[in-house]
Amino acid sequence: MLKHIQAQTITDNVARLCQEANYCLGKDVLTLLLKAKEEEYSPLGKEVLQQVLENARIAREELVPLCQDTGMTVIFVELGQQVCIVGGDFTKAINEGVRYGYKEGYLRMSVVEHPFKRKNTNDNTPAVIHVEIVPGDKLKIIVFPKGFGGENFSGLKMLLPGEGKRGVKKFILQQVKLAGSNPCPPIIVGVGIGGTFEKSALLAKKALLRKVGEPNPLREIAALEKELLQDINSLGFGPQGLGGSITALAVHIEIYPCHMASLPVAVNINCFAHRQKEVIL
Amino acid sequence: MILLTPTKLYTPLTDEAIEKLRVGQRVLLNGVVLTARDAAHKKLNKLLELGVKLPFSLQGTVIYYVAPTPAKPGQVIGSAGPTTSSRMDIYTPRLLALGIKGTIGHGKRSHQVVRSLKKYKSVYFIAVGGTAALITKSIKASRVIAFPELGPEAIHELIVENFPIIVANDIFGGDIYEEGWKRYALKS
């Protein structure tokens, strides 16, 4: 039995989620920010986190963007194989949602149509869309407006298998050090280990989709996440990089099988303005 | 080092006012601020390379690295928080030489910029990145004064009241980042 979903329904939902994501910081992030404010050693760091929480309240109550960088819109779709999209083109429906959502929501248009010519598309499209076909008759859409303060300091390295866990940790820490004060700490660090070149990058981004602070279900990976969070918070960057004990709110790692000749690792950094909303149709 | 009571500053910034500022000082800025980020910096730089007079004077100005969201009906300006300053580093020394007295963004500056800040007696301030909805409350007026074709990146003249910023680099070579990291890094 096929389930029909109208393209317009997709457009409407994407538009709504673009706005909700940019106005309302998730409970998971807010909880960790509150905890960070309690635990932060630096008085200036505490003051910064107080401003961050106050800002989130204003954005939520007044329905205005949390941050002026309302992102390039990354959209993850889980498409049930029994779903049939009717009444329009799927990709167009998503981009139409972004176009409408950004315009009606007074969000900033940050996308340029050509990497060198750099002319603004004036509607924040195209979105970056990742589709996965899954069993069932549901359509899940996650809207993840990605700010580029963090995105610009992300990185990837093809390590040698012999470099192992130690090499992976070293690279992740190097990347966080390189980012320093730039990506608006406290940051959330998404890591992808394994797969191919592009698979590790996608895993790193997908790691950011997890409820913030929730550990990987594999005990060994959860332990690695914990160690890395400690190491990152020992760097002393602190909130906004002004010095302090909370540089990251969480480290999320996803792994995947890889070729016997390689150990890819990708680090995708996000700022505390970690905006994500989803719907299941 | 850190003085918790904010000091009020008024534009245009004078050398006398700037000399009193030290790293960590909270400041409430009042007066006129010009916005410029990546594309506007590139354009200004191009004009200077061509030897063309800039459309406005930079003497005594404060430049804010921002591209706001569009204003909702009833708003003066949309959310307008600072962008990452390091992307402007390559252009900054040249512009400081033209008399800019303050820049506002977030994140650490390059060594060249820190040296130029000292040389030209200019201060680098930071606003808290990611708090655009809060910061916007202190912006009272906004109008485009140059490069309207750049959309959100056009140069706007903002009138600000008690705009909350922190001194990150003073004219004596002080650097809030270097000092903060030294204090809070744990030796492993």
Side-chain angles (χ1 to χ4, degrees):
Chain A
M1 256 289 275
L2 280 179
K3 177 172 156 186
H4 289 185
I5 294 180
Q6 292 289 334
Q8 187 61 43
T9 308
I10 295 174
T11 298
D12 294 346
N13 277 283
V14 168
R16 176 177 60 83
L17 295 173
C18 286
Q19 296 175 13
E20 278 179 16
N22 274 297
Y23 301 160
C24 303
L25 200 53
K27 277 207 182 85
D28 51 350
V29 185
L30 283 171
T31 306
L32 286 177
L33 283 169
L34 263 172
K35 186 165 162 266
K37 197 187 90 176
E38 297 307 314
E39 292 174 357
E40 174 56 54
Y41 291 161
S42 147
L44 178 57
K46 273 187 192 285
E47 205 180 303
V48 162
L49 291 167
Q50 178 53 42
Q51 278 191 40
V52 162
L53 288 162
E54 173 69 4
N55 180 71
R57 185 190 61 77
I58 293 172
R60 186 175 59 240
E61 288 180 5
E62 299 183 8
L63 301 178
V64 293
L66 284 162
C67 177
Q68 74 289 340
D69 184 357
T70 52
M72 186 163 193
T73 322
V74 180
I75 299 193
F76 282 89
V77 177
E78 286 175 23
L79 177 63
Q81 62 191 31
Q82 283 149 268
V83 172
C84 180
I85 314 280
V86 292
D89 176 302
F90 173 72
T91 305
K92 272 191 194 154
I94 287 184
N95 279 317
E96 195 52 45
V98 170
R99 185 174 294 125
Y100 190 75
Y102 272 66
K103 185 162 183 294
E104 295 299 307
Y106 296 90
L107 306 179
R108 196 180 74 186
M109 310 304 181
S110 307
V111 176
V112 295
E113 67 184 359
H114 186 289
F116 302 135
K117 293 175 189 156
R118 305 198 78 80
K119 190 172 169 291
N120 201 305
T121 61
N122 287 320
D123 60 7
N124 221 53
T125 68
V128 174
I129 307 167
H130 303 287
V131 183
E132 199 178 336
I133 311 285
V134 297
D137 65 353
K138 301 265 187 276
L139 172 65
K140 182 174 177 182
I141 303 172
I142 304 173
V143 174
F144 182 9
K146 186 68 175 75
F148 266 61
E151 196 76 357
N152 272 344
F153 289 90
S154 302
L156 191 151
K157 196 169 182 196
M158 307 301 284
L159 297 178
L160 304 174
E163 292 180 89
K165 208 186 273 181
R166 184 191 285 206
V168 165
K169 279 181 75 175
K170 193 176 152 198
F171 176 68
I172 296 166
L173 275 174
Q174 254 175 22
Q175 204 58 42
V176 171
K177 276 190 205 170
L178 185 73
S181 60
N182 291 299
C184 282
I187 53 175
I188 296 150
V189 184
V191 179
I193 307 171
T196 49
F197 178 80
E198 84 287 3
K199 180 71 181 179
S200 64
L202 189 56
L203 281 175
K205 179 132 285 134
K206 274 192 165 176
L208 291 175
L209 300 180
R210 204 192 297 161
K211 186 180 165 204
V212 182
E214 196 175 85
N216 186 297
L218 299 170
R219 203 191 301 166
E220 182 199 10
I221 304 303
L224 185 59
E225 290 174 342
K226 213 172 154 187
E227 273 173 48
L228 274 159
L229 182 61
Q230 256 175 16
D231 290 350
I232 290 168
N233 285 335
S234 302
L235 294 172
F237 292 157
Q240 290 285 307
L242 301 174
S245 51
I246 313 280
T247 302
L249 296 175
V251 178
H252 292 178
I253 301 175
E254 294 295 330
I255 61 168
Y256 196 79
C258 56
H259 193 281
M260 59 190 175
S262 190
L263 175 52
V265 55
V267 179
N268 193 201
I269 293 179
N270 207 12
C271 53
F272 62 80
H274 181 79
R275 293 153 288 182
Q276 274 173 23
K277 296 287 171 205
E278 64 175 60
V279 68
I280 298 172
L281 299 172
Chain B
M1 174 201 78
I2 289 161
L3 306 167
L4 281 159
T5 320
T7 183
K8 284 199 180 200
L9 279 185
Y10 298 85
T11 66
L13 296 185
T14 60
D15 282 353
E16 196 195 356
I18 280 176
E19 280 160 11
K20 288 190 192 132
L21 298 175
R22 296 292 183 279
V23 161
Q25 173 71 53
R26 290 3 170 233
V27 170
L28 296 172
L29 186 66
N30 293 272
V32 178
V33 168
L34 303 182
T35 72
R37 53 172 281 164
D38 306 63
H41 273 74
K42 199 174 174 187
K43 280 211 164 200
L44 290 173
N45 197 55
K46 186 89 186 163
L47 292 178
L48 291 171
E49 269 175 15
L50 295 171
V52 177
K53 194 169 175 280
L54 298 186
F56 50 87
S57 166
L58 290 173
Q59 192 60 48
T61 55
V62 177
I63 303 289
Y64 182 23
Y65 305 141
V66 60
T69 61
K72 284 173 96 164
Q75 274 189 324
V76 164
I77 190 170
S79 296
T83 195
T84 314
S85 306
S86 60
R87 291 195 314 275
M88 267 48 79
D89 283 353
I90 47 168
Y91 305 112
T92 302
R94 188 170 198 176
L95 295 176
L96 292 180
L98 298 175
I100 293 174
K101 283 292 157 190
T103 45
I104 307 171
H106 80 75
K108 196 173 176 357
R109 309 305 301 259
S110 68
H111 291 303
Q112 289 91 322
V113 171
V114 175
R115 267 204 306 273
S116 300
L117 289 167
K118 234 171 135 176
K119 183 173 170 190
Y120 299 114
K121 281 199 173 178
S122 184
V123 176
Y124 171 53
F125 301 97
I126 48 165
V128 176
T131 64
L134 176 69
I135 289 172
T136 291
K137 304 249 174 226
S138 55
I139 302 174
K140 302 302 171 190
S142 165
R143 68 182 182 106
V144 174
I145 59 160
F147 312 145
E149 68 278 13
L150 296 181
E153 289 199 72
I155 297 187
H156 295 67
E157 181 191 76
L158 308 180
I159 309 292
V160 299
E161 261 176 44
N162 293 332
F163 187 84
I165 48 180
I166 305 167
V167 176
N169 292 103
D170 55 33
I171 59 166
F172 307 101
D175 186 319
I176 199 168
Y177 299 100
E178 301 277 348
E179 291 178 23
W181 299 352
K182 244 180 254 164
R183 186 167 310 132
Y184 292 99
L186 302 176
K187 290 185 186 87
S188 54

